[in-house]
Coordinates of all heavy atoms in Angstrom, one line a residue:
M4 N 0.8 -1.2 0.0 CA 0.0 0.0 0.0 C 0.9 1.2 0.0 O 1.9 1.3 0.7 CB -0.9 0.0 1.2 CG -1.6 1.3 1.5 SD -2.3 1.3 3.1 CE -3.9 1.8 2.9
V5 N 0.5 2.2 -0.8 CA 1.3 3.4 -0.9 C 0.3 4.6 -0.6 O -0.8 4.7 -1.2 CB 1.9 3.6 -2.3 CG1 2.6 5.0 -2.4 CG2 2.8 2.5 -2.7
E6 N 0.7 5.4 0.3 CA -0.1 6.6 0.7 C 0.7 7.8 0.5 O 1.9 7.9 0.9 CB -0.5 6.5 2.2 CG -1.4 5.3 2.5 CD -1.5 5.2 4.0 OE1 -0.5 4.9 4.7 OE2 -2.6 5.5 4.5
L7 N 0.1 8.8 -0.1 CA 0.7 10.1 -0.3 C -0.1 11.1 0.5 O -1.2 11.4 0.2 CB 0.8 10.5 -1.8 CG 1.2 12.0 -2.0 CD1 2.7 12.2 -1.6 CD2 1.1 12.3 -3.5
F8 N 0.6 11.7 1.5 CA -0.1 12.7 2.3 C 0.3 14.0 1.7 O 1.5 14.3 1.6 CB 0.4 12.6 3.8 CG -0.2 11.4 4.5 CD1 0.5 10.2 4.4 CD2 -1.3 11.5 5.2 CE1 0.0 9.0 5.0 CE2 -1.9 10.4 5.9 CZ -1.2 9.1 5.8
S9 N -0.7 14.8 1.3 CA -0.4 16.0 0.6 C -1.3 17.1 1.0 O -2.2 16.9 1.9 CB -0.6 15.8 -0.9 OG -2.0 15.5 -1.2
S10 N -1.1 18.3 0.5 CA -2.0 19.4 0.7 C -2.2 20.2 -0.6 O -1.3 20.1 -1.5 CB -1.4 20.4 1.8 OG -0.1 20.8 1.5
A11 N -3.2 20.9 -0.7 CA -3.6 21.5 -2.0 C -2.6 22.5 -2.6 O -2.4 22.5 -3.8 CB -5.0 22.2 -1.8
F12 N -2.0 23.3 -1.7 CA -1.1 24.3 -2.2 C 0.4 24.0 -2.1 O 1.2 24.8 -1.9 CB -1.4 25.6 -1.5 CG -2.8 26.1 -1.8 CD1 -3.8 25.9 -0.9 CD2 -3.2 26.6 -3.0 CE1 -5.1 26.3 -1.1 CE2 -4.5 27.0 -3.3 CZ -5.5 26.8 -2.4
C13 N 0.7 22.7 -2.1 CA 2.1 22.2 -1.9 C 2.8 21.9 -3.2 O 2.4 21.0 -3.9 CB 1.9 20.9 -1.0 SG 3.4 20.0 -0.9
A14 N 3.7 22.8 -3.6 CA 4.4 22.6 -4.8 C 5.2 21.3 -4.8 O 5.2 20.6 -5.8 CB 5.3 23.8 -5.1
P15 N 5.9 20.9 -3.7 CA 6.6 19.7 -3.7 C 5.7 18.5 -3.9 O 6.1 17.4 -4.4 CB 7.3 19.7 -2.4 CG 7.5 21.1 -2.0 CD 6.3 21.8 -2.6
C16 N 4.4 18.6 -3.5 CA 3.5 17.5 -3.6 C 3.3 17.2 -5.1 O 3.1 16.0 -5.5 CB 2.1 17.9 -3.0 SG 2.2 18.0 -1.2
R17 N 3.3 18.2 -6.0 CA 3.2 18.0 -7.4 C 4.4 17.1 -7.9 O 4.2 16.2 -8.7 CB 3.1 19.3 -8.2 CG 1.8 20.0 -8.0 CD 1.6 21.1 -8.9 NE 2.4 22.3 -8.6 CZ 2.2 23.2 -7.8 NH1 1.1 23.2 -7.0 NH2 3.0 24.2 -7.6
S18 N 5.6 17.4 -7.4 CA 6.8 16.7 -7.7 C 6.7 15.2 -7.3 O 7.1 14.3 -8.0 CB 8.0 17.3 -7.2 OG 8.2 18.6 -7.7
A19 N 6.1 15.0 -6.1 CA 6.0 13.7 -5.5 C 5.0 12.9 -6.4 O 5.2 11.7 -6.7 CB 5.5 13.7 -4.1
R20 N 3.9 13.6 -6.8 CA 2.9 12.9 -7.7 C 3.6 12.5 -9.0 O 3.3 11.4 -9.6 CB 1.8 13.8 -8.0 CG 0.8 14.0 -6.9 CD -0.4 14.8 -7.3 NE -1.0 15.3 -6.1 CZ -0.9 16.6 -5.6 NH1 -0.1 17.4 -6.2 NH2 -1.5 16.9 -4.5
A21 N 4.5 13.3 -9.5 CA 5.2 13.0 -10.8 C 6.1 11.8 -10.6 O 6.2 10.9 -11.5 CB 6.0 14.2 -11.3
V22 N 6.8 11.7 -9.5 CA 7.6 10.5 -9.2 C 6.7 9.2 -9.1 O 7.0 8.2 -9.7 CB 8.4 10.6 -7.9 CG1 9.1 9.3 -7.5 CG2 9.4 11.8 -8.0
L23 N 5.6 9.4 -8.5 CA 4.6 8.2 -8.4 C 4.1 7.8 -9.7 O 3.9 6.7 -10.0 CB 3.5 8.6 -7.4 CG 3.8 8.6 -5.9 CD1 2.8 9.3 -5.1 CD2 4.0 7.2 -5.4
E24 N 3.9 8.8 -10.6 CA 3.4 8.5 -11.9 C 4.4 7.8 -12.7 O 4.1 6.8 -13.4 CB 3.0 9.8 -12.6 CG 2.4 9.6 -14.0 CD 2.0 10.9 -14.6 OE1 1.4 11.8 -13.9 OE2 2.2 11.1 -15.8
R25 N 5.7 8.2 -12.6 CA 6.8 7.4 -13.3 C 6.9 6.0 -12.8 O 7.1 5.1 -13.5 CB 8.1 8.2 -13.2 CG 8.1 9.5 -14.0 CD 9.5 10.1 -14.1 NE 10.2 10.2 -12.9 CZ 10.4 11.3 -12.3 NH1 10.1 12.5 -12.8 NH2 11.1 11.4 -11.1
A26 N 6.8 5.9 -11.4 CA 6.8 4.5 -10.9 C 5.7 3.7 -11.3 O 5.8 2.5 -11.6 CB 6.8 4.6 -9.3
G27 N 4.5 4.3 -11.5 CA 3.3 3.6 -12.0 C 3.5 3.1 -13.4 O 3.0 2.0 -13.8
A28 N 4.3 3.8 -14.2 CA 4.6 3.3 -15.6 C 5.4 2.1 -15.5 O 5.3 1.2 -16.4 CB 5.2 4.5 -16.4
L29 N 6.3 2.0 -14.5 CA 7.2 0.8 -14.4 C 6.5 -0.3 -13.6 O 6.9 -1.5 -13.8 CB 8.5 1.2 -13.7 CG 9.3 2.3 -14.5 CD1 10.4 2.8 -13.6 CD2 9.8 1.7 -15.8
V30 N 5.6 0.0 -12.7 CA 5.0 -1.0 -11.9 C 3.4 -0.8 -12.1 O 2.8 -0.1 -11.3 CB 5.4 -0.8 -10.4 CG1 4.7 -1.9 -9.5 CG2 6.9 -0.8 -10.2
P31 N 2.9 -1.4 -13.1 CA 1.5 -1.1 -13.4 C 0.5 -1.4 -12.3 O -0.6 -0.8 -12.2 CB 1.2 -2.0 -14.7 CG 2.5 -2.2 -15.3 CD 3.5 -2.2 -14.1
A32 N 0.8 -2.3 -11.4 CA -0.1 -2.7 -10.3 C 0.0 -1.7 -9.2 O -0.8 -1.8 -8.3 CB 0.3 -4.1 -9.8
L33 N 0.8 -0.7 -9.3 CA 0.9 0.3 -8.2 C -0.4 1.1 -8.1 O -0.9 1.6 -9.0 CB 2.1 1.3 -8.6 CG 2.3 2.5 -7.6 CD1 2.6 1.9 -6.2 CD2 3.3 3.4 -8.1
R34 N -0.9 1.1 -6.8 CA -2.0 1.9 -6.5 C -1.6 2.9 -5.4 O -1.0 2.4 -4.4 CB -3.2 1.0 -6.0 CG -3.7 0.0 -7.0 CD -4.4 0.7 -8.2 NE -4.7 -0.3 -9.2 CZ -4.0 -0.4 -10.4 NH1 -3.0 0.3 -10.6 NH2 -4.4 -1.3 -11.3
V35 N -2.0 4.1 -5.5 CA -1.6 5.1 -4.6 C -2.9 5.7 -4.0 O -3.8 6.1 -4.7 CB -0.8 6.3 -5.2 CG1 -0.5 7.4 -4.2 CG2 0.5 5.7 -5.8
Q36 N -2.9 5.8 -2.7 CA -4.0 6.5 -2.0 C -3.5 7.8 -1.5 O -2.6 7.9 -0.7 CB -4.5 5.7 -0.8 CG -5.7 6.2 -0.2 CD -6.4 5.3 0.8 OE1 -5.7 4.5 1.4 NE2 -7.7 5.4 1.0
E37 N -4.1 8.9 -2.1 CA -3.7 10.3 -1.7 C -4.6 10.8 -0.5 O -5.8 10.6 -0.6 CB -3.7 11.2 -2.8 CG -3.1 12.5 -2.5 CD -2.8 13.4 -3.7 OE1 -2.8 12.9 -4.9 OE2 -2.4 14.5 -3.5
V38 N -4.0 11.3 0.5 CA -4.7 11.8 1.6 C -4.4 13.3 1.8 O -3.2 13.7 1.9 CB -4.2 11.1 2.9 CG1 -5.0 11.7 4.1 CG2 -4.4 9.6 2.8
D39 N -5.4 14.1 1.7 CA -5.3 15.6 1.9 C -5.3 15.8 3.4 O -6.3 15.5 4.1 CB -6.5 16.3 1.2 CG -6.4 17.8 1.4 OD1 -5.9 18.3 2.4 OD2 -6.8 18.5 0.4
V40 N -4.2 16.3 3.9 CA -4.0 16.4 5.3 C -5.0 17.4 6.0 O -5.3 17.3 7.1 CB -2.5 16.7 5.8 CG1 -1.6 15.6 5.4 CG2 -2.1 18.0 5.2
A41 N -5.4 18.4 5.2 CA -6.4 19.4 5.7 C -7.7 18.7 5.8 O -8.5 19.1 6.7 CB -6.4 20.6 4.8
A42 N -8.1 17.8 5.0 CA -9.4 17.2 5.0 C -9.4 16.0 5.9 O -10.5 15.6 6.4 CB -9.8 16.7 3.6
D43 N -8.3 15.4 6.2 CA -8.3 14.2 7.1 C -7.1 14.3 8.1 O -6.1 13.6 8.1 CB -8.1 12.9 6.2 CG -8.5 11.7 6.9 OD1 -8.7 11.7 8.2 OD2 -8.7 10.7 6.3
V44 N -7.3 15.3 9.0 CA -6.3 15.6 10.0 C -6.0 14.4 10.9 O -4.8 14.1 11.2 CB -6.7 16.8 10.8 CG1 -5.8 17.1 12.0 CG2 -6.9 18.1 9.9
E45 N -7.0 13.7 11.3 CA -6.9 12.6 12.2 C -6.0 11.5 11.6 O -5.1 10.9 12.2 CB -8.2 12.0 12.6 CG -8.9 12.9 13.6 CD -8.1 13.3 14.8 OE1 -7.5 12.4 15.4 OE2 -8.1 14.5 15.2
R46 N -6.2 11.2 10.3 CA -5.4 10.2 9.6 C -4.0 10.6 9.5 O -3.1 9.8 9.7 CB -6.0 9.9 8.2 CG -5.4 8.7 7.6 CD -6.2 8.2 6.4 NE -5.5 7.2 5.7 CZ -5.8 6.8 4.5 NH1 -6.9 7.3 4.0 NH2 -5.1 5.9 3.9
A47 N -3.8 11.8 9.2 CA -2.4 12.4 9.1 C -1.7 12.3 10.5 O -0.6 11.8 10.6 CB -2.4 13.8 8.6
R48 N -2.5 12.6 11.5 CA -1.9 12.6 12.9 C -1.6 11.1 13.3 O -0.5 10.9 13.8 CB -2.9 13.2 13.9 CG -2.4 13.3 15.3 CD -3.3 14.1 16.2 NE -3.4 15.5 15.7 CZ -4.6 16.2 15.6 NH1 -5.7 15.6 15.9 NH2 -4.6 17.4 15.2
A49 N -2.5 10.2 12.9 CA -2.3 8.8 13.3 C -1.1 8.2 12.6 O -0.4 7.3 13.1 CB -3.5 8.0 12.9
A50 N -0.7 8.8 11.4 CA 0.4 8.3 10.6 C 1.7 9.1 11.0 O 2.7 8.9 10.4 CB 0.2 8.4 9.1
A51 N 1.6 10.0 12.0 CA 2.7 10.9 12.4 C 3.2 11.7 11.3 O 4.4 11.9 11.1 CB 3.8 10.0 13.1
V52 N 2.3 12.2 10.4 CA 2.7 13.1 9.3 C 2.8 14.5 9.8 O 1.8 15.0 10.3 CB 1.8 12.9 8.1 CG1 2.0 14.0 7.1 CG2 1.8 11.5 7.6
T53 N 4.0 15.1 9.7 CA 4.1 16.5 10.1 C 4.4 17.5 9.0 O 4.5 18.7 9.3 CB 5.3 16.6 11.2 OG1 6.5 16.1 10.6 CG2 4.9 15.7 12.4
S54 N 4.6 17.0 7.8 CA 4.9 17.9 6.7 C 4.4 17.2 5.4 O 4.2 16.0 5.3 CB 6.4 18.2 6.6 OG 7.1 17.0 6.3
T55 N 4.2 18.0 4.4 CA 3.8 17.5 3.1 C 4.8 17.9 2.0 O 5.4 19.0 2.1 CB 2.4 18.0 2.7 OG1 2.4 19.4 2.6 CG2 1.3 17.5 3.6
P56 N 5.0 17.0 1.1 CA 4.5 15.7 1.0 C 5.2 14.7 1.9 O 6.3 14.8 2.2 CB 4.7 15.3 -0.5 CG 6.0 16.0 -0.8 CD 6.0 17.3 0.0
T57 N 4.4 13.7 2.3 CA 5.0 12.5 3.0 C 4.4 11.3 2.3 O 3.2 11.2 2.1 CB 4.6 12.5 4.5 OG1 5.2 13.6 5.2 CG2 5.1 11.2 5.2
L58 N 5.3 10.4 2.0 CA 5.0 9.2 1.3 C 5.3 8.0 2.1 O 6.4 7.9 2.7 CB 5.8 9.1 0.0 CG 5.5 7.9 -0.9 CD1 4.2 8.2 -1.7 CD2 6.6 7.6 -1.9
L59 N 4.3 7.1 2.3 CA 4.5 5.9 3.1 C 4.2 4.7 2.2 O 3.3 4.7 1.4 CB 3.4 5.9 4.2 CG 3.4 7.0 5.3 CD1 2.4 6.7 6.3 CD2 4.8 7.1 5.9
V60 N 5.1 3.7 2.3 CA 5.0 2.5 1.6 C 4.9 1.4 2.7 O 5.7 1.3 3.6 CB 6.1 2.2 0.7 CG1 6.0 0.8 0.0 CG2 6.3 3.3 -0.4
R61 N 3.8 0.6 2.6 CA 3.6 -0.5 3.6 C 3.5 -1.8 2.8 O 3.1 -1.9 1.7 CB 2.2 -0.3 4.3 CG 2.2 1.0 5.1 CD 0.8 1.2 5.8 NE 0.6 2.5 6.3 CZ 1.1 2.9 7.5 NH1 1.7 2.0 8.3 NH2 0.9 4.1 7.9
D62 N 4.0 -2.9 3.5 CA 3.9 -4.2 3.0 C 2.5 -4.8 3.1 O 1.6 -4.1 3.7 CB 5.0 -5.1 3.6 CG 4.8 -5.4 5.1 OD1 3.7 -5.1 5.6 OD2 5.8 -5.8 5.7
A63 N 2.3 -6.0 2.7 CA 1.0 -6.6 2.7 C 0.4 -6.7 4.2 O -0.8 -6.7 4.4 CB 1.0 -8.0 2.1
A64 N 1.3 -6.8 5.1 CA 0.9 -6.9 6.5 C 0.6 -5.6 7.2 O 0.2 -5.5 8.3 CB 1.9 -7.7 7.4
G65 N 0.9 -4.5 6.4 CA 0.6 -3.1 6.9 C 1.8 -2.5 7.6 O 1.7 -1.4 8.1
A66 N 2.9 -3.2 7.6 CA 4.1 -2.6 8.2 C 4.8 -1.6 7.3 O 4.9 -1.8 6.1 CB 5.2 -3.7 8.5
E67 N 5.2 -0.5 7.9 CA 5.8 0.6 7.1 C 7.2 0.1 6.7 O 8.0 -0.2 7.6 CB 5.9 1.8 8.0 CG 6.4 3.0 7.2 CD 6.4 4.3 8.1 OE1 5.3 4.6 8.7 OE2 7.5 4.9 8.2
V68 N 7.5 0.1 5.4 CA 8.8 -0.2 5.0 C 9.6 1.0 4.4 O 10.8 0.9 4.2 CB 8.8 -1.4 3.9 CG1 8.2 -2.6 4.5 CG2 8.0 -0.9 2.7
F69 N 8.9 2.1 4.2 CA 9.6 3.3 3.7 C 8.7 4.5 4.0 O 7.5 4.5 4.0 CB 9.7 3.2 2.1 CG 10.3 4.3 1.5 CD1 11.7 4.6 1.5 CD2 9.6 5.2 0.8 CE1 12.3 5.6 0.9 CE2 10.1 6.3 0.1 CZ 11.5 6.5 0.2
R70 N 9.4 5.6 4.4 CA 8.8 6.9 4.6 C 9.7 7.9 4.0 O 10.9 8.0 4.3 CB 8.6 7.1 6.1 CG 8.1 8.5 6.5 CD 8.0 8.7 8.0 NE 6.9 7.8 8.5 CZ 5.7 8.3 9.0 NH1 5.5 9.6 9.0 NH2 4.8 7.5 9.4
A71 N 9.1 8.8 3.3 CA 9.8 9.9 2.7 C 9.1 11.2 3.1 O 7.9 11.4 2.7 CB 10.0 9.8 1.2
A72 N 9.7 12.0 3.9 CA 9.1 13.4 4.2 C 9.8 14.3 3.1 O 11.0 14.5 3.2 CB 9.4 13.8 5.6
G73 N 9.1 14.7 2.1 CA 9.6 15.4 1.0 C 9.5 14.5 -0.2 O 8.8 13.5 -0.2
V74 N 10.1 14.9 -1.3 CA 10.0 14.2 -2.6 C 11.0 13.1 -2.7 O 12.2 13.3 -2.7 CB 10.1 15.2 -3.8 CG1 9.9 14.4 -5.1 CG2 9.2 16.3 -3.6
P75 N 10.5 11.8 -2.8 CA 11.5 10.7 -2.9 C 12.0 10.7 -4.4 O 11.4 11.2 -5.3 CB 10.6 9.5 -2.6 CG 9.2 9.9 -3.1 CD 9.1 11.3 -2.8
T76 N 13.1 10.1 -4.5 CA 13.6 9.8 -5.9 C 13.0 8.6 -6.4 O 12.5 7.7 -5.7 CB 15.1 9.6 -5.9 OG1 15.5 8.4 -5.2 CG2 15.9 10.8 -5.3
L77 N 12.9 8.4 -7.7 CA 12.4 7.2 -8.3 C 13.1 6.0 -7.9 O 12.4 5.0 -7.5 CB 12.4 7.4 -9.9 CG 11.8 6.2 -10.6 CD1 10.3 5.9 -10.2 CD2 11.9 6.4 -12.1
P78 N 14.4 6.0 -7.9 CA 15.1 4.7 -7.4 C 14.8 4.4 -5.9 O 14.6 3.2 -5.6 CB 16.6 5.1 -7.5 CG 16.7 6.1 -8.6 CD 15.4 6.9 -8.4
Q79 N 14.6 5.4 -5.0 CA 14.2 5.1 -3.6 C 12.9 4.5 -3.6 O 12.6 3.5 -2.9 CB 14.2 6.4 -2.8 CG 15.5 7.0 -2.5 CD 15.3 8.4 -1.8 OE1 14.4 9.2 -2.2 NE2 16.1 8.7 -0.8
L80 N 11.9 5.0 -4.4 CA 10.6 4.5 -4.4 C 10.5 3.1 -5.0 O 9.9 2.2 -4.4 CB 9.7 5.4 -5.2 CG 8.2 5.0 -5.3 CD1 7.6 4.8 -3.9 CD2 7.4 6.0 -6.1
L81 N 11.3 2.8 -6.0 CA 11.3 1.5 -6.6 C 11.9 0.4 -5.6 O 11.3 -0.7 -5.5 CB 12.0 1.5 -7.9 CG 11.4 2.2 -9.1 CD1 12.3 2.3 -10.3 CD2 10.0 1.7 -9.4
V82 N 12.9 0.8 -4.9 CA 13.5 -0.1 -3.9 C 12.4 -0.4 -2.8 O 12.3 -1.5 -2.4 CB 14.8 0.4 -3.3 CG1 15.2 -0.3 -2.1 CG2 15.9 0.4 -4.4
A83 N 11.8 0.7 -2.4 CA 10.7 0.5 -1.3 C 9.6 -0.4 -1.8 O 9.1 -1.2 -1.1 CB 10.2 1.9 -0.9
L84 N 9.2 -0.2 -3.1 CA 8.1 -1.0 -3.6 C 8.5 -2.5 -3.6 O 7.7 -3.4 -3.3 CB 7.7 -0.6 -5.0 CG 7.0 0.8 -5.0 CD1 6.8 1.2 -6.5 CD2 5.7 0.8 -4.3
D85 N 9.8 -2.7 -4.0 CA 10.3 -4.1 -4.0 C 10.3 -4.7 -2.6 O 9.9 -5.8 -2.4 CB 11.7 -4.1 -4.6 CG 12.2 -5.6 -4.8 OD1 11.5 -6.4 -5.5 OD2 13.2 -5.9 -4.2
R86 N 10.8 -3.9 -1.7 CA 10.8 -4.3 -0.3 C 9.4 -4.6 0.3 O 9.3 -5.5 1.1 CB 11.5 -3.2 0.6 CG 11.9 -3.6 1.9 CD 12.6 -2.5 2.7 NE 13.8 -2.1 1.9 CZ 14.3 -0.8 1.9 NH1 13.7 0.1 2.6 NH2 15.3 -0.5 1.2
A87 N 8.4 -3.9 -0.2 CA 7.1 -4.1 0.2 C 6.4 -5.3 -0.5 O 5.3 -5.6 -0.2 CB 6.3 -2.9 0.1
G88 N 7.1 -5.8 -1.5 CA 6.5 -6.9 -2.3 C 5.5 -6.4 -3.4 O 4.7 -7.2 -3.8
L89 N 5.7 -5.2 -3.8 CA 4.7 -4.6 -4.7 C 5.2 -4.6 -6.2 O 4.6 -3.9 -7.0 CB 4.3 -3.2 -4.3 CG 3.6 -3.1 -2.9 CD1 3.4 -1.7 -2.5 CD2 2.3 -3.8 -3.0
T90 N 6.3 -5.2 -6.5 CA 6.8 -5.2 -7.8 C 6.4 -6.5 -8.6 O 6.1 -7.5 -7.9 CB 8.4 -5.1 -7.8 OG1 8.9 -6.1 -7.0 CG2 8.8 -3.7 -7.3
P91 N 6.4 -6.4 -9.9 CA 6.0 -7.6 -10.7 C 6.9 -8.8 -10.3 O 8.1 -8.6 -10.0 CB 6.3 -7.1 -12.1 CG 6.2 -5.7 -12.1 CD 6.7 -5.3 -10.7
G92 N 6.3 -10.0 -10.4 CA 7.1 -11.2 -10.2 C 7.1 -11.6 -8.7 O 7.7 -12.6 -8.3
R93 N 6.4 -10.9 -7.9 CA 6.3 -11.2 -6.5 C 5.0 -11.7 -6.1 O 4.0 -11.4 -6.6 CB 6.6 -10.0 -5.6 CG 8.1 -9.7 -5.6 CD 8.4 -9.0 -4.4 NE 9.8 -9.1 -4.1 CZ 10.3 -9.0 -2.9 NH1 9.6 -8.9 -1.9 NH2 11.6 -9.0 -2.8

């Protein structure tokens, strides 16, 4: 599971979305759930999100395997997706 915690007027959030889009082209099964922190304050608080963008990657059991406060690089994200078992062939 991939969650992007964002806010409406966050320029770096647009960059994070672009990285996720590139990853989605390489990993077609990638599904991202975007959470607007202003609209869902409790969920952001529960995930200990203090800035946007924050990207969380969780494995099938729900354990967090990667967290990026800020814009992750494509290689960082691909390694995290592999670690979470979200890449093809797994």
Side-chain angles (χ1 to χ4, degrees):
M4 171 195 225
V5 177
E6 296 172 292
L7 173 62
F8 290 85
S9 64
S10 54
F12 299 103
C13 167
C16 295
R17 288 191 291 275
S18 297
R20 286 184 201 99
V22 172
L23 287 164
E24 187 176 316
R25 289 194 310 251
L29 298 170
V30 183
L33 177 63
R34 300 292 175 258
V35 178
Q36 185 170 31
E37 189 163 351
V38 178
D39 183 323
V40 297
D43 201 343
V44 174
E45 288 305 314
R46 186 164 173 192
R48 188 174 293 137
V52 172
T53 59
S54 64
T55 59
T57 295
L58 183 78
L59 300 179
V60 178
R61 299 179 191 276
D62 64 16
E67 185 178 308
V68 298
F69 178 75
R70 175 181 290 250
V74 181
T76 66
L77 181 59
Q79 286 174 320
L80 180 55
L81 293 174
V82 168
L84 293 174
D85 186 58
R86 196 175 301 148
L89 299 174
T90 53
R93 285 207 162 203

